[in-house]
Amino acid sequence: MNKILKLSLRNLTRQKRRNAILAIAIAFGFFVVTTIDGLTTGMVGNLEEMIIQMAGGTVLVAGFEKEEAVDGQKAKYANIIRDRQFVRDLIDKSDIRYKYLSCFTLSSGQFMFNGKKASSNVYGRDFAEPEFLSSFRFVDGGGEMLNREDAVIISDSMAESLNLQIGDQLVYTCSTIYGQNNVADFTVCGIIKSNSFVSSMQTYVHIETLNRIVGIPEGGYSYLSLYLKNKKDQHKVALQLEEMIIENGSLCTTHQEAYRISPKNVDRGIDKQITDEQYTWVGTKYAVETVDDAIPALKSVMNIVHTVTTSILIVILLIVMIGVSNTYRMVLYERIREIGTMRALGMNGKDTGRVFTYEATILCLLGAVLGLIVSLIVMAIIHTIPISNETLQFFLEKGHFSFSLSAGTIILQYILLMLLTAIAVHGSSKKAASLSPAEALRTVK
């Protein structure tokens, strides 16, 4: 084995120009595929992260209160979780692996300033959470100003549309969780870069401040969000949380029922278990949702991206393998008398064929490694370039392209390369193995 490997390596130093051209062709193919795969996966990943930030987490637990209908009137619902520790304690007792969890309150209303109005989704968050503030790019403000109880963080798009600056006073009008109108004043203490039309309509205030405005008691909230370490676990975690909540004596929606109600729109199936009159319940009921439930198309996009990049890889490799196959047919003809000499000196047919297979495989692997290295360098350079195009911001990470490569995908590509290489040189290897020493030595080139 070692002698065959050494012989294969030595053969690569012969016909250096031809081998170099072949290796460069393979490197270019791997460079193109790796860069496209890294870019598209990174863009979709950034889109997913942005959606997770907008949704508030990978897995969301919402709480709803419902009163009995009186005198034929419709039952009233309120989006509220009063017991801040109930779901937290369940998670702490479980084996759920998460980066962090957060509680937040959500309200929708209008901000007014100097006669101008802007609709907004207002998130009541704990500003002390380092993960929360680190997810923003502050254009102005921030820091100590955010300690004010009436502090509000707005997007640069809202600041521009309402002509707002740091320190300006805003009037916020909204409804409480029981449907009553309320008004509050806020001070602009932070302006952040918006990445999309949706994020431009989102603002952030202290959770306890928003709770007082919408009628949630101190310590309560609307949603508990979980940021999982592995986003692929979100469905499993959702089922686990549902089971734990029900086992602890509380009402909870279930994904099983949601799939029965609406197989193609799980989010709608969960919502119906809260609002539909056929589900008779009173008191507090929890609902567990995932990002995939809310936006199922995102998973389809990811699958399409990987399918397209894999198809491109296969097409490029097939083209390269045609070149490899033709090259080694030529190599066989050039070395036919050399093969006869090796066979005459005692090398068996299988080992003669392996020399060709090993040589081609090593050449292809070297080309693939070179392509990967060049791709990593190019991706690192592109990542440093700031992108100002507003239409692309939804797919960027803080104004830059980011790249995401999977070790499993790269290993799979290398395995595919080795298999195709073995197939490409199989004919030449088989021919070399079947040559008799006398026949090879008699051949005149």
Side-chain angles (χ1 to χ4, degrees), residues 18 31 52 60 62 84-85 122 179 181 183 233 244 300 364:
R18 183 172 62 197
F31 160 74
I52 289 172
L60 291 179
R84 181 167 287 194
Q85 289 303 124
V122 180
N181 295 327
V183 179
D233 292 338
M244 289 190 297
S300 299
C364 288

Side-chain angles (χ1 to χ4, degrees), residues 56-305:
T58 320
V59 178
L60 291 179
V61 181
F64 297 90
E65 286 185 353
K66 179 182 176 183
E67 300 175 355
E68 283 193 63
V70 180
D71 297 331
Q73 296 180 349
K74 287 187 176 181
K76 292 184 178 180
Y77 299 89
N79 180 196
I80 179 175
I81 298 177
R82 296 181 184 273
D83 186 353
R84 181 167 287 194
Q85 289 303 124
F86 174 64
V87 181
R88 283 175 175 262
D89 290 342
L90 293 179
I91 294 170
D92 290 339
K93 293 174 185 176
S94 70
D95 59 351
I96 296 173
R97 298 173 67 249
Y98 61 91
K99 294 178 183 177
Y100 66 96
L101 61 79
S102 176
C103 299
F104 68 92
T105 297
L106 178 60
S107 170
S108 296
Q110 279 192 333
F111 282 101
M112 294 182 289
F113 179 75
N114 284 348
K116 294 182 179 180
K117 298 180 181 180
S119 298
S120 177
N121 291 325
V122 180
Y123 289 79
R125 298 291 299 264
D126 182 358
F127 285 10
E129 294 177 0
E131 296 88 353
F132 168 64
L133 291 180
S134 64
S135 64
F136 296 132
R137 283 195 299 153
F138 279 90
V139 177
D140 198 3
E144 295 296 324
M145 293 189 68
L146 298 178
N147 293 330
R148 295 178 54 129
E149 285 190 6
D150 64 344
V152 60
I153 301 172
I154 65 172
S155 68
D156 56 349
S157 298
M158 179 178 285
E160 183 178 353
S161 64
L162 296 183
N163 195 25
L164 290 167
Q165 296 179 348
I166 295 297
D168 286 341
Q169 300 286 322
L170 284 171
V171 176
Y172 178 60
T173 62
C174 65
S175 298
T176 68
I177 59 173
Y178 301 106
Q180 300 158 337
N181 295 327
N182 204 354
V183 179
D185 294 327
F186 285 102
T187 301
V188 178
C189 294
I191 300 175
I192 58 176
K193 181 70 177 177
S194 60
N195 296 315
S196 66
F197 173 74
V198 177
S199 63
S200 69
M201 297 173 62
Q202 294 179 323
T203 54
Y204 303 88
V205 301
H206 289 286
I207 183 170
E208 294 302 342
T209 302
L210 187 59
N211 282 349
R212 287 194 295 270
I213 296 169
V214 300
I216 294 179
E218 186 176 352
Y221 57 96
S222 302
Y223 299 90
L224 181 141
S225 63
L226 267 176
Y227 292 78
L228 300 180
K229 289 186 175 180
N230 187 350
K231 288 177 283 192
K232 294 180 180 179
D233 292 338
Q234 55 185 276
H235 182 68
K236 181 180 71 175
V237 169
L239 297 180
Q240 187 176 351
L241 282 171
E242 289 171 353
E243 185 178 349
M244 289 190 297
I245 291 171
I246 293 171
E247 286 179 352
N248 279 267
S250 295
L251 298 173
C252 186
T253 61
T254 66
H255 274 69
Q256 182 179 359
E257 180 68 7
Y259 282 119
R260 188 191 68 79
I261 298 169
S262 180
K264 295 184 179 180
N265 191 335
V266 180
D267 188 51
R268 182 171 175 269
I270 291 172
D271 184 61
K272 274 187 167 292
Q273 294 176 62
I274 298 293
T275 59
D276 200 298
E277 293 181 359
Q278 66 171 307
Y279 297 93
T280 55
W281 61 277
V282 176
T284 300
K285 190 172 187 177
Y286 294 91
V288 183
E289 297 180 77
T290 69
V291 170
D292 283 348
D293 295 337
I295 311 175
L298 193 62
K299 186 179 286 186
S300 299
V301 170
M302 290 290 287
N303 293 333
I304 290 170
V305 165

